[in-house]
Amino acid sequence: MNYAVKGGQLGKQKTGCLILGYFENSNLAPSAEAIDLLTNQFISSLIKRDKLKGKAGELLLLEHVPTISAERILLIGLGDKDNLSDREFNKSLKSVLEALSKSRASNAISTLAELEIKTRDAHWVARQTVVTNEAINYQPGEMKSKADSKPICTSITLFAENKALQAAIKTGISEGKAIASGIQLARKVSDLPGNICTPTYLAEQAITLGKQHKKLKVTILEEKEMEKLGMGALLSVSRGSREPAKLITMEYKGGSAKVQPIVLVGKGLTFDAGGISLKPGAGMDEMKYDMCGGASVLGTLSAIAEMQLPINVVGIIPSSENLPDGDASKPGDIVTSMSGLTIEVLNTDAEGRLILCDALTYAERFNPKTIIDIATLTGAVIIALGRHPSGLMGNDDELCAELTLAGEKAGDRLWRLPLWDEYQEQLKSNFADLANIGGRDGGTITAGCFLSRFTEKQNWAHIDIAGTAWKSGHNKGATGRPVSLLTQFIIDRANG
Ligand code: BES
Ligand code: MN
Ligand code: ZN
């Protein structure tokens, strides 16, 4: 898809589709007003005739509008003019771009970047337009023998009269493209099945990304090296698998060597059958998505490398399978983590925290300013929060607030859960320093508590994406979350 910015006389623009906005109470957005004047009130009279409410997301497709050069108009309701929030706007944007992709138009001009949205600007609208449109046109049919048909619309131009707006839109478009391709990469590897997307495959994807960007250095640790480092927790998970585990490290050096990096650690479990604590069969295929945390780290590094942000970021992906086998770890086994803490593995299905704890200890060698881990860690987070926000936990209020704000901006939200000492009690073991499960109560929180024991000296947050990383049902597929959130967080840090 091609994206551009343009000014000029709106009525004379040749395009397959002109996107215009209107509000509640028959208020037209400025560009819609201009076209209305040119067309002898064509638009306002239709709004009146059909008693359109102007609610966010309301749509009307107009063909053969007289006097203008556009082949058709897509009118999109935007809600309350004086209260245009980013969430309402995103909803409208999604519905108009979906309508565009289903239309016969081969290109479009959007006038939405001229709107005034509370606390957001044209740069943001341009970025959202690209990210949303790319998400709509993403096709997960990588493994189908016949390629899906290509979208008809191949170009969207954002219209703005004013030169300053045009400049802002231009940077918004290039940011949007980088973020969208990061999301796309994350979705692509997440949707691939476990027999293709193995730890080795994930490592190869990282190596390929490293070759595309000069400032990105990729290294892969093999099981032998993990043994030398004492990663007994991570290795206890991969024992039952014939696919070798990999520890992927991607170092993006966009800032001065003296500046401490942000370290992202993503769970890269390429298939989670539960191990000896085997999962029930129904829906088990979805456990191919247990590497979505790792995929989001890959996608985020791709986005920031493409934007060439002046900041240092390290991405770490511990990657393994979790399968039952004669050599697999058993409930009750005690393993020693790289940190020295011993862990009683009471349930082999609580494996994410085992691979993450060693990766978190490993992360310390990069002298991090902040560590954020991202993981499809607990089914319990879906019970607690549903599938709208990801769960956030951490040991620093400021960091949690910063991440929450980034999520709001990116439309990729978080909700924080507490990591109080009372919950830590649930991880007590009679035989080791801690157990890997804390019982049914507060399962997401006790998983977070487990990780917190390995990050005590760090500025750290944990994001549980088990409810947000993919969709089930007939629209099954990866969402690419939380690449938008993480990229926003890093953009904000890079801007000081
Ligand atoms: N990968 C799963 C978490 C998960 C479950 C994500 C369902 C999405 C949907 C994780 O490894 C796991 O199995 N967690 C257990 C923890 C339990 C054994 C304490 C869970 O959530 O049941
Ligand atoms: Mn599991
Ligand atoms: Zn898992």
Side-chain angles (χ1 to χ4, degrees):
M1 189 79 66
N2 183 54
Y3 299 93
V5 53
K6 195 173 181 188
Q9 275 180 288
L10 197 53
K12 296 216 169 112
Q13 304 291 330
K14 283 208 170 61
T15 177
C17 182
L18 182 59
I19 296 173
L20 301 173
Y22 68 107
F23 299 97
E24 285 173 12
N25 305 319
S26 311
N27 273 313
L28 296 179
S31 301
E33 188 83 64
I35 295 292
D36 199 42
L37 279 178
L38 280 177
T39 57
N40 194 21
Q41 277 80 47
F42 193 85
I43 295 173
S44 50
S45 61
L46 273 180
I47 289 178
K48 224 185 242 153
R49 188 196 73 187
D50 289 354
K51 300 195 179 61
L52 296 184
K53 296 273 188 303
K55 291 256 179 286
E58 186 175 80
L59 267 173
L60 193 64
L61 175 67
L62 313 177
E63 303 267 5
H64 301 297
V65 181
T67 54
I68 60 166
S69 306
E71 288 167 12
R72 46 177 90 60
I73 288 178
L74 259 175
L75 261 185
I76 175 70
L78 297 164
D80 180 359
K81 182 169 194 260
D82 303 316
N83 249 324
L84 182 49
S85 71
D86 46 10
R87 216 179 327 285
E88 290 262 285
F89 177 78
N90 277 334
K91 190 171 143 192
S92 306
L93 184 64
K94 187 158 174 253
S95 94
V96 76
L97 293 174
E98 274 169 357
L100 175 65
S101 86
K102 286 182 200 137
S103 82
R104 308 298 302 166
S106 59
N107 54 44
I109 292 180
S110 166
T111 60
L112 302 181
E114 285 192 306
L115 296 174
E116 279 171 26
I117 301 170
K118 279 198 298 187
T119 69
R120 304 283 181 253
D121 53 13
H123 170 270
W124 181 86
V125 173
R127 191 182 86 182
Q128 288 308 103
T129 303
V130 176
V131 170
T132 308
N133 194 54
E134 291 297 310
I136 288 169
N137 289 304
Y138 167 79
Q139 292 169 332
E142 174 104 350
M143 302 293 295
K144 291 187 179 165
S145 54
K146 255 200 225 139
D148 294 320
S149 56
K150 291 240 157 48
I152 296 172
C153 182
T154 55
S155 140
I156 296 180
T157 301
L158 293 162
F159 182 85
E161 290 287 6
N162 164 321
K163 288 268 183 263
L165 274 192
Q166 289 180 3
I169 289 170
K170 216 169 155 193
T171 58
I173 288 175
S174 64
E175 222 176 271
K177 279 184 178 168
I179 297 169
S181 75
I183 293 173
Q184 184 126 3
L185 174 61
R187 290 177 77 175
K188 194 193 85 176
V189 296
S190 300
D191 281 329
L192 284 173
N195 63 328
I196 309 272
C197 183
T198 58
T200 304
Y201 180 91
L202 266 188
E204 282 162 2
Q205 295 301 300
I207 291 168
T208 305
L209 192 64
K211 285 185 184 145
Q212 288 162 4
H213 300 282
K214 252 195 16 229
K215 291 178 186 159
L216 191 62
K217 186 180 131 205
V218 176
T219 46
I220 312 292
L221 288 193
E222 306 294 335
E223 289 188 352
K224 264 225 170 76
E225 293 153 290
M226 295 182 223
E227 249 161 62
K228 276 195 210 127
L229 288 165
M231 296 185 162
L234 198 167
L235 289 166
S236 78
V237 175
S238 78
R239 279 187 77 100
S241 162
R242 297 181 192 188
E243 291 290 339
K246 304 278 171 178
L247 184 70
I248 303 163
T249 302
M250 298 175 280
E251 294 169 75
Y252 172 74
K253 293 172 185 167
S256 134
K258 280 175 283 178
V259 180
Q260 292 176 279
I262 298 169
V263 179
L264 305 177
V265 179
K267 174 178 175 183
L269 227 292
T270 59
F271 192 79
D272 179 15
I276 296 297
S277 314
L278 190 62
K279 285 184 182 296
M284 206 207 267
D285 67 290
E286 295 191 5
M287 283 300 114
K288 71 175 182 179
Y289 288 120
D290 214 15
M291 37 60 72
C292 285
S296 77
V297 171
L298 195 66
T300 301
L301 271 115
S302 158
I304 60 172
E306 198 169 316
M307 286 186 270
Q308 306 219 29
L309 291 183
I311 192 165
N312 297 329
V313 180
V314 179
I316 299 175
I317 307 172
S319 185
S320 166
E321 290 182 325
N322 185 27
L323 297 175
D325 180 79
D327 200 34
S329 293
K330 303 166 292 296
D333 284 2
I334 294 178
V335 301
T336 304
S337 67
M338 183 179 173
S339 76
L341 286 175
T342 57
I343 303 162
E344 186 182 14
V345 182
L346 288 173
N347 188 322
T348 65
D349 198 10
E351 84 298 337
R353 60 200 81 181
L354 295 175
I355 66 169
L356 285 170
C357 72
D358 280 342
L360 288 166
T361 302
Y362 182 73
E364 286 181 355
R365 65 185 52 205
F366 296 97
N367 185 25
K369 176 116 178 103
T370 295
I371 303 182
I372 302 164
D373 75 74
I374 309 98
T376 47
L377 205 60
T378 64
V381 77
I382 308 172
I383 309 299
L385 299 174
R387 295 175 195 267
H388 305 295
S390 305
L392 170 66
M393 286 141 271
N395 61 12
D396 186 87
D397 291 344
E398 229 173 280
L399 172 61
C400 287
E402 210 181 337
L403 281 162
T404 303
L405 191 69
E408 293 285 343
K409 268 197 216 172
D412 186 356
R413 290 200 285 175
L414 297 173
W415 193 258
R416 189 176 179 190
L417 299 168
L419 291 181
W420 294 327
D421 287 344
E422 288 89 328
Y423 294 103
Q424 297 280 359
E425 304 283 316
Q426 291 174 234
L427 293 173
K428 281 209 166 122
S429 157
N430 284 353
F431 308 107
D433 296 334
L434 74 169
N436 78 328
I437 54 170
R440 266 175 61 83
D441 295 356
T444 301
I445 293 173
T446 51
C449 285
F450 181 94
L451 298 178
S452 78
R453 305 283 279 272
F454 299 84
T455 52
E456 279 167 4
K457 288 169 280 172
Q458 303 293 332
N459 179 254
W460 161 80
H462 158 59
I463 302 176
D464 193 330
I465 57 169
T468 54
W470 76 92
K471 291 196 162 93
S472 307
H474 73 178
N475 264 337
K476 190 186 286 182
T479 60
R481 288 179 71 179
V483 172
S484 307
L485 153 76
L486 294 170
T487 346
Q488 184 67 54
F489 172 80
I490 295 168
I491 290 172
D492 291 346
R493 281 271 174 112
N495 289 338

